[in-house]
Amino acid sequence: MKGELHRTRRAVIGVAVAALAIGTAAACGSDSDTSAGAGAADPAVLGPSNAATGDVVTIGFISEGKSAAVDASAELTAAQAAVAYINEHLGGLRGHRVQLKTCETKSNPAAATDCANQMISAGAVAVVEGALGNVDQTIDVLAPAGVPLVLNYATSQKSLSSPNVVTLMNGVSAIFGTPAALAKEKNATKSALVTIDVPAATGAANQMGKLAFGNAGSALEVVTIPPGTPDVTSQITAANRNDPGLWTVLGSTNFCGGVLKAIKTVDRGATIVVNDRCVDTTISSSIPGGFEGVQVGTTANLDPATDDMKLFQAAIDKYQPGLRIEFNAAGGWQPIVGLARALNATPGQEITRQTVAEGLRSAPAQPYPLTNGIQFQCNGQAFPLSPNVCSSDIIVATADKGGVLRDYRVLHTDASLFTPPSR
């Protein structure tokens, strides 16, 4: 029985993380501002000066960077700001001053492999990544070398199962946990998930989606749309006959736009849940009523009124003035500051690849940057499907008509949503 449960867990992970990869490049390359703007912050929120005085240690940061297809350059800029803040206000890493070694993959698998090799040559004690489409290529190099890899969130099978890898936020929860938890909150006994009809997405929806929704007490109908379908109204109309209490959409911006238009046409007043890569201010006018009221699962809270955002804004103002704060920038700040918080909360001064790995696994729960309250702890207990995931809670925001996100809140997801049934 235990072996069957283990095999079920591995199968569910495989299809789920495949779906996470869908639209990763779109997410990295999105330049839409989906949060309310923030003004200059009070520099006092950075805290008193606490400069690092110990020997320099190298931390790597691998990013998509900027290419013809994507522009995640804000990730790198924000990562530099994070290191400057850590060195001047957090005492570095256990007293050691941090230097950042950066590398851009430009969405090229061979370049991702080369970046990972560069990190080893540079003597990096850890490597951090934000949203990287070719994460597997970096894992293939770094894991055998014993270099800890710290991810903002997971996007592949290897990232959830390889040793020496931690993913500080929960991408699986963001995609499936958000709508399942909201269905449970709304007492929706029936839900519909709309996805593009490709094996990775439909497999994940039918296994991970039905698992999470079923555990939430909501029967899930998976509605598949063939790629290139110009008008999805007939599929949405057919699904609406089952009277779903909640709709959720899995796909990139262009796919979501057509689906949301159809849902809002055939089911006015519907409860709709999407992930943040679905929302783009440039397509709001093509959707009846725009994005008004759509619930959005995301990995960063960019509400300028929160203490987290005030700290982020102050650091950007001081170290990288002019950088526009959006989700790509958040992806550069969050995992590096998270790494520093975890290591500085554990005893010892030595910084090596081994002590970084041990420190991450033994650190007490810490607040994750730009989440307004979500705790992360990399002790292998946060997420039942993978010991590499360090958190279970997720962020939900509400979009306005134009696609700007407001009313962020932490959604405390029950780990049982992702627990496969015993046999």
Side-chain angles (χ1 to χ4, degrees):
M1 184 175 294
K2 183 176 180 181
E4 290 181 2
L5 180 58
H6 179 69
R7 287 191 293 273
T8 300
R9 219 178 244 119
R10 287 182 59 83
V12 170
I13 290 174
V15 293
V17 297
L20 286 173
I22 296 174
T24 295
C28 293
S30 174
D31 196 40
S32 61
D33 188 355
T34 54
S35 67
D42 181 357
V45 303
L46 294 171
S49 176
N50 179 20
T53 58
D55 295 339
V56 172
V57 296
T58 299
I59 298 292
F61 192 91
I62 301 177
S63 172
E64 298 279 1
K66 187 174 183 178
S67 67
V70 302
D71 184 1
S73 53
E75 230 179 35
L76 294 165
T77 306
Q80 296 282 7
V83 167
Y85 165 67
I86 290 165
N87 283 335
E88 293 190 14
H89 292 276
L90 298 186
L93 289 183
R94 294 180 173 178
H96 294 267
R97 186 169 182 82
V98 179
Q99 67 177 6
L100 193 67
K101 164 71 175 175
T102 63
C103 190
E104 299 182 26
T105 69
K106 301 186 184 298
S107 303
N108 185 320
T113 298
D114 180 63
C115 281
N117 281 313
Q118 287 186 41
M119 298 304 164
I120 294 175
S121 298
V125 296
V127 173
V128 181
E129 295 172 3
L132 193 66
N134 294 305
V135 64
D136 284 0
Q137 282 73 17
T138 65
I139 292 174
D140 287 343
V141 174
L142 298 172
V147 180
L149 179 58
V150 180
L151 306 176
N152 192 27
Y153 57 86
T155 58
S156 77
Q157 165 77 39
K158 288 182 179 179
S159 66
L160 292 185
S161 59
S162 298
N164 263 353
V165 178
V166 295
T167 172
L168 303 183
M169 278 294 282
N170 195 326
V172 177
S173 286
I175 290 179
F176 296 110
T178 300
L182 290 175
K184 184 176 182 179
E185 190 176 90
K186 183 180 170 59
N187 294 318
T189 58
K190 292 185 290 184
S191 299
L193 186 153
V194 187
T195 178
I196 191 167
D197 192 5
V198 297
T202 56
N206 279 300
Q207 291 197 41
M208 177 64 84
K210 288 187 175 180
L211 170 68
F213 276 85
N215 286 336
S218 186
L220 182 67
E221 178 185 6
V222 176
V223 182
T224 57
I225 307 294
T229 302
D231 185 352
V232 302
T233 303
S234 61
Q235 290 94 333
I236 300 303
T237 299
N240 192 51
R241 295 191 185 106
N242 290 327
D243 193 26
L246 180 142
W247 295 83
T248 188
V249 186
L250 175 60
S252 59
T253 300
N254 291 339
F255 176 78
C256 285
V259 172
L260 292 177
K261 180 179 179 180
I263 292 173
K264 287 201 166 192
T265 298
V266 304
D267 187 8
R268 295 183 180 181
T271 298
I272 304 173
V273 188
V274 301
N275 52 67
D276 55 21
R277 73 174 178 268
C278 241
V279 182
D280 192 319
T281 56
T282 63
I283 67 169
S284 59
S285 61
S286 67
I287 302 168
F291 288 100
E292 187 69 45
V294 171
Q295 299 293 291
V296 183
T298 182
T299 55
N301 181 336
L302 300 186
D303 182 347
T306 65
D307 290 341
D308 277 0
M309 263 295 290
K310 290 175 182 177
L311 173 63
F312 186 31
Q313 185 69 62
I316 295 302
D317 291 346
K318 181 176 182 180
Y319 302 115
Q320 298 290 347
L323 177 67
R324 187 172 67 88
I325 290 180
E326 36 77 49
F327 289 114
N328 282 322
W333 171 268
Q334 289 174 288
I336 291 184
V337 175
L339 169 63
R341 287 179 177 174
L343 289 185
N344 289 345
T346 57
Q349 295 181 323
E350 187 179 21
I351 293 289
T352 65
R353 291 169 182 172
Q354 182 177 349
T355 61
V356 169
E358 292 172 349
L360 283 167
R361 293 296 185 185
S362 64
Q366 297 294 312
Y368 196 58
L370 295 178
T371 63
N372 198 34
I374 289 179
Q375 301 280 308
F376 74 99
Q377 187 172 15
C378 301
N379 61 359
Q381 303 300 313
F383 188 55
L385 293 183
S386 170
N388 291 0
V389 177
C390 304
S391 59
S392 59
D393 293 340
I394 46 186
I395 302 170
V396 180
T398 302
D400 70 6
K401 182 177 180 179
V404 174
L405 303 189
R406 295 191 174 93
D407 300 327
Y408 291 85
R409 65 186 176 105
V410 173
L411 192 63
H412 300 287
T413 54
D414 187 341
S416 65
L417 288 177
F418 299 100
T419 302
S422 58
R423 304 210 174 180

